[in-house]
Amino acid sequence: MSIRIGILGYGNLGRGVECAIRQNLDMELVAVFTRRDPKEVKLLTDTAEVLNVSEAEQWKDRIDVLILCGGSATDLPVQTPKYAQWFHVVDSFDTHARIPEHYAAVNEAAKKAGKTAIISVGWDPGMFSLNRMYANAILPEGKDYTFWGKGVSQGHSDAIRRVEGVKDGKQYTIPVETALEAVRNGENPELTTRQKHTRECYVVLEEGADAEKVEQEIKSMPNYFADYDTTVHFISEEELKREHSGIPHGGFVLRSGVTGWEREHRHLIEYRLKLDSNPEFTSSVIVAYARAAYRLAAEGQFGCKTVFDIAPAYLSARSGEELRASML
Amino acid sequence: MSIRIGILGYGNLGRGVECAIRQNLDMELVAVFTRRDPKEVKLLTDTAEVLNVSEAEQWKDRIDVLILCGGSATDLPVQTPKYAQWFHVVDSFDTHARIPEHYAAVNEAAKKAGKTAIISVGWDPGMFSLNRMYANAILPEGKDYTFWGKGVSQGHSDAIRRVEGVKDGKQYTIPVETALEAVRNGENPELTTRQKHTRECYVVLEEGADAEKVEQEIKSMPNYFADYDTTVHFISEEELKREHSGIPHGGFVLRSGVTGWEREHRHLIEYRLKLDSNPEFTSSVIVAYARAAYRLAAEGQFGCKTVFDIAPAYLSARSGEELRASML
């Protein structure tokens, strides 16, 4: 019998989850819940139903794991504790600084209801976090580095589009290759914000807008661009659509550490992701953890979990025996 | 109270474990068991005792986890099941093809005795296995690649030294950069043995030996060198000592996979290790898993485990709360 999955929220992430479910033969998508009029939402999966979010509770016995695909700013802080009263849930809450409070709220709700909830699943937080943690446990004396990109930052692209005179725009975060090489060479550099990443902007101007003024306004924007070396390219709307409609991302987690009685040996652990589609990769991680949620729930392991709390084998469709024989 | 660690076998790996324990403040080395005369073994740690291996059983109540540092060919298949009757144990059994039978033997012994045993810990098997498994669970449709090196292969160095006319020698396994780049570019190449790695040999000849004959014999050696592009450098004993006395190693685990309804997006997951000291890094992984063994044992989770079965948080000295706040 398949693991029956529900999706709440059908944007880029929800569609990514739908695609990932199709690649996992032990799962099936049974329902998508949306705040929109269900009649206006067309799924890729013929066999799943689209329902208004208000109907979710009625599906509590027909769904094994509900995947919450809302945003971290306002959706998930409310949704994850709420739906954990009826479902085993997985979310991708990614506001790092607010994870402890989110964890507490979800843990309380899930424990009370006897449900399993896994939060902050994806690649950062998620696979990057796992790699930071493993590397720190293995090399207790060392230094951590995370580089993001090359990839599209949604927040920075939104910031560009709020500038007067900008019709549309896209921002790429790019790791500085020389900084990355210094880390790989074991130089343990102290890196400022500016030394780690550059920001590249592709901007379509409104008719009659002042390019120089727009460029200055972008480059001097506090928090978003002022602390970085920023490049602004003005392009046509057609070029933006043709060349910059993807959502690639990725990055590097590195730990440089020492071992030996005199700390005489250096080691480098590097984890890298190069992703054509940020939401689809995130979804693929979430779906693997949905399998884990299903299994943990079957064992009665309720409450809130993160990637740190879940044994790797729970993610795989293969048995322990198969894993030991083929991958160990 | 510290976790009290014992070491069985005091070679490169045992000394590496001793060094790693010093970097982990919640652990202490209490005893080293050796097949040699204990009086002839000098530890780095003042506070630990050296004892003959025959005395190990008497220490069963004074050691929380016994780390087995023997070889995989003949030592561990006997030692791990044997010592699991008295101790929670960790080993680095690395004969991939024989892991299932080793697992079965250790599992039976550990379950019977109510002990926790973790086998095949290190980097391959170990961290590389974990990365293969996570990447496969995340990207079910894709292709796996493992490259080793640049690093010293003990087995191949031994093979060189068995050739007539060779006084000493060292062999480096080197990944082929163009093959690695093809994988990173998502080309999903089919790679033969020869296309993945080259072998570089540094050889000191016996006086009067025939260099050309030695080189031919090395290059044509079945299993070890015949399937590879092998380079042989003849050097002096001094140069070998000066330039090639280290035990570096490392390598790359990559998975290239696709997502999307039409499999239209490509992703690359890459894990890389660059290690100055193969045995010390292996030891560092083992020591983190010794902490996990201690905690699993405290929870009554007995029997044989591998890296696949252990939640990452068990490896870290930090609490779940600290981990969520600092690394997620």
Side-chain angles (χ1 to χ4, degrees):
Chain A
M1 211 190 68
S2 304
I3 304 172
R4 298 165 302 173
I5 305 286
I7 292 173
L8 196 147
Y10 195 64
N12 281 336
L13 194 64
R15 266 188 303 275
V17 169
E18 182 180 22
C19 294
I21 289 168
R22 193 163 72 148
Q23 294 185 294
N24 286 276
L25 304 180
D26 57 342
M27 301 190 180
E28 62 174 319
L29 176 64
V30 294
V32 171
F33 302 98
T34 176
R35 284 180 288 213
R36 289 177 271 170
D37 178 351
K39 285 194 289 295
E40 284 167 21
V41 174
K42 178 82 189 93
L43 304 186
L44 300 165
T45 309
D46 298 332
T47 51
E49 289 189 46
V50 186
L51 301 137
N52 188 270
V53 68
S54 61
E55 299 181 71
E57 186 186 349
Q58 300 163 39
W59 281 71
K60 67 185 159 70
D61 299 321
R62 283 176 278 173
I63 284 173
D64 294 312
V65 181
L66 181 66
I67 297 178
L68 303 170
C69 296
S72 296
T74 55
D75 296 334
L76 297 176
V78 177
Q79 289 175 350
T80 315
K82 176 176 171 182
Y83 290 96
Q85 65 180 308
W86 302 311
F87 298 95
H88 308 301
V89 295
V90 181
D91 82 16
S92 61
F93 184 78
D94 67 358
T95 313
H96 293 262
R98 297 187 59 196
I99 286 174
E101 59 185 290
H102 188 58
Y103 177 89
V106 175
N107 194 41
E108 195 189 332
K111 282 232 158 123
K112 200 169 146 197
K115 298 294 176 191
T116 303
I118 310 180
I119 61 162
S120 299
V121 176
W123 59 274
D124 196 3
M127 297 314 296
F128 272 19
S129 323
L130 268 183
N131 276 280
R132 283 189 280 265
M133 206 233 85
Y134 274 118
N136 269 269
I138 295 168
L139 296 174
E141 298 185 65
K143 209 160 154 34
D144 294 302
Y145 297 88
T146 302
F147 291 84
W148 292 275
K150 179 183 179 173
V152 172
S153 163
Q154 211 51 62
H156 289 79
S157 299
D158 290 345
I160 290 173
R161 288 190 286 258
R162 285 193 297 266
V163 171
E164 208 192 307
V166 171
K167 190 170 182 189
D168 204 351
K170 203 105 178 210
Q171 193 266 184
Y172 295 92
T173 306
I174 299 169
V176 174
E177 197 59 41
T178 51
L180 202 45
E181 277 309 309
V183 173
R184 288 193 182 121
N185 292 336
E187 296 168 23
N188 285 341
E190 292 290 337
L191 297 167
T192 63
T193 298
R194 192 180 293 275
Q195 288 169 325
K196 286 182 70 184
H197 298 96
T198 55
R199 299 201 175 276
E200 197 152 4
C201 308
Y202 292 85
V203 175
V204 180
L205 289 173
E206 301 273 14
E207 243 187 76
D210 179 343
E212 204 170 317
K213 190 162 162 277
V214 166
E215 180 166 345
Q216 279 318 308
E217 199 166 326
I218 291 172
K219 287 185 171 176
S220 60
M221 203 184 293
N223 303 319
Y224 287 96
F225 295 102
D227 296 335
Y228 298 86
D229 290 336
T230 301
T231 314
V232 178
H233 305 276
F234 294 105
I235 61 174
S236 69
E237 199 162 7
E238 293 67 43
E239 189 179 342
L240 189 78
K241 224 164 237 156
R242 200 178 60 237
E243 304 290 337
H244 303 284
S245 62
I247 320 175
H249 219 311
F252 304 80
V253 171
L254 304 105
R255 185 163 175 85
S256 171
V258 290
T259 65
W261 199 252
E262 306 291 344
R263 299 174 175 74
E264 65 273 29
H265 292 127
R266 295 187 310 193
H267 306 279
L268 181 79
I269 303 174
E270 174 173 345
Y271 182 76
R272 179 199 189 175
L273 295 175
K274 199 172 108 184
L275 313 174
D276 268 5
S277 166
N278 183 353
E280 285 180 9
F281 187 81
T282 301
S283 302
S284 297
V285 181
I286 289 174
V287 165
Y289 277 95
R291 178 180 292 120
Y294 176 76
R295 292 173 174 176
L296 290 166
E299 293 176 3
Q301 297 199 41
F302 303 134
C304 188
K305 318 275 175 195
T306 75
V307 294
F308 298 150
D309 307 312
I310 296 170
Y314 283 99
L315 310 192
S316 174
R318 305 191 200 193
S319 71
E321 202 176 342
E322 284 177 281
L323 290 176
R324 284 189 295 276
S326 65
M327 292 199 187
L328 195 59
Chain B
M1 210 189 70
S2 305
I3 304 172
R4 299 165 301 174
I5 306 285
I7 291 172
L8 196 147
Y10 195 63
N12 282 336
L13 194 64
R15 266 189 302 277
V17 168
E18 180 179 25
C19 294
I21 289 168
R22 193 162 74 148
Q23 293 185 295
N24 285 277
L25 305 179
D26 58 341
M27 300 191 180
E28 63 174 318
L29 177 64
V30 295
V32 171
F33 302 98
T34 177
R35 283 180 287 213
R36 290 177 272 170
D37 177 351
K39 284 195 289 295
E40 283 167 22
V41 174
K42 177 83 190 90
L43 303 186
L44 299 164
T45 309
D46 297 333
T47 51
E49 290 189 46
V50 186
L51 301 137
N52 187 270
V53 68
S54 61
E55 299 180 71
E57 185 186 349
Q58 300 162 39
W59 281 71
K60 67 185 159 72
D61 299 321
R62 285 176 278 173
I63 285 173
D64 295 312
V65 181
L66 182 66
I67 297 178
L68 303 171
C69 297
S72 295
T74 55
D75 296 335
L76 297 176
V78 176
Q79 288 175 349
T80 314
K82 174 176 174 182
Y83 290 96
Q85 64 180 308
W86 301 312
F87 298 95
H88 308 301
V89 295
V90 181
D91 81 18
S92 61
F93 184 78
D94 67 0
T95 312
H96 293 262
R98 297 187 59 195
I99 286 174
E101 60 185 290
H102 188 57
Y103 176 89
V106 174
N107 193 42
E108 194 189 334
K111 282 231 158 123
K112 198 169 150 198
K115 299 295 175 192
T116 304
I118 311 180
I119 60 161
S120 300
V121 176
W123 60 275
D124 196 4
M127 297 313 296
F128 272 19
S129 323
L130 268 182
N131 276 281
R132 282 189 281 264
M133 206 233 84
Y134 273 118
N136 270 270
I138 294 168
L139 297 175
E141 297 186 64
K143 209 160 152 37
D144 293 302
Y145 296 88
T146 302
F147 291 84
W148 292 273
K150 181 183 177 176
V152 172
S153 162
Q154 212 51 60
H156 289 79
S157 300
D158 290 345
I160 291 173
R161 288 190 286 259
R162 286 193 297 264
V163 171
E164 208 191 306
V166 171
K167 189 171 183 188
D168 204 351
K170 203 105 177 210
Q171 193 268 182
Y172 295 93
T173 305
I174 300 170
V176 174
E177 196 60 40
T178 51
L180 203 46
E181 276 309 309
V183 174
R184 286 192 182 123
N185 291 337
E187 297 168 23
N188 285 341
E190 293 291 337
L191 297 167
T192 63
T193 299
R194 191 179 295 274
Q195 286 168 326
K196 287 183 71 185
H197 297 95
T198 56
R199 300 202 174 273
E200 197 153 7
C201 308
Y202 291 86
V203 175
V204 180
L205 289 173
E206 302 274 13
E207 244 188 74
D210 177 346
E212 204 169 319
K213 189 161 162 277
V214 166
E215 181 168 345
Q216 278 319 309
E217 199 165 328
I218 291 173
K219 287 185 171 178
S220 60
M221 204 184 293
N223 302 318
Y224 286 95
F225 295 102
D227 296 335
Y228 298 86
D229 289 336
T230 301
T231 315
V232 179
H233 305 277
F234 294 104
I235 61 175
S236 69
E237 198 160 9
E238 293 68 43
E239 189 179 340
L240 189 79
K241 223 164 236 155
R242 197 176 65 238
E243 304 290 340
H244 303 284
S245 61
I247 321 177
H249 221 310
F252 303 80
V253 171
L254 305 106
R255 184 163 177 85
S256 172
V258 291
T259 65
W261 198 253
E262 306 292 345
R263 301 175 172 76
E264 65 272 31
H265 292 127
R266 295 188 311 192
H267 306 278
L268 181 79
I269 303 175
E270 174 174 344
Y271 182 76
R272 179 199 187 174
L273 295 174
K274 199 172 106 183
L275 313 174
D276 268 4
S277 165
N278 183 353
E280 285 180 8
F281 187 81
T282 300
S283 301
S284 297
V285 180
I286 289 174
V287 164
Y289 276 95
R291 178 181 293 118
Y294 176 76
R295 292 174 174 176
L296 289 166
E299 294 177 2
Q301 296 199 43
F302 303 136
C304 188
K305 318 274 176 195
T306 75
V307 294
F308 298 149
D309 307 312
I310 297 170
Y314 282 99
L315 309 191
S316 174
R318 306 192 199 193
S319 71
E321 203 175 342
E322 285 176 281
L323 289 176
R324 284 189 295 275
S326 64
M327 292 199 188
L328 196 60

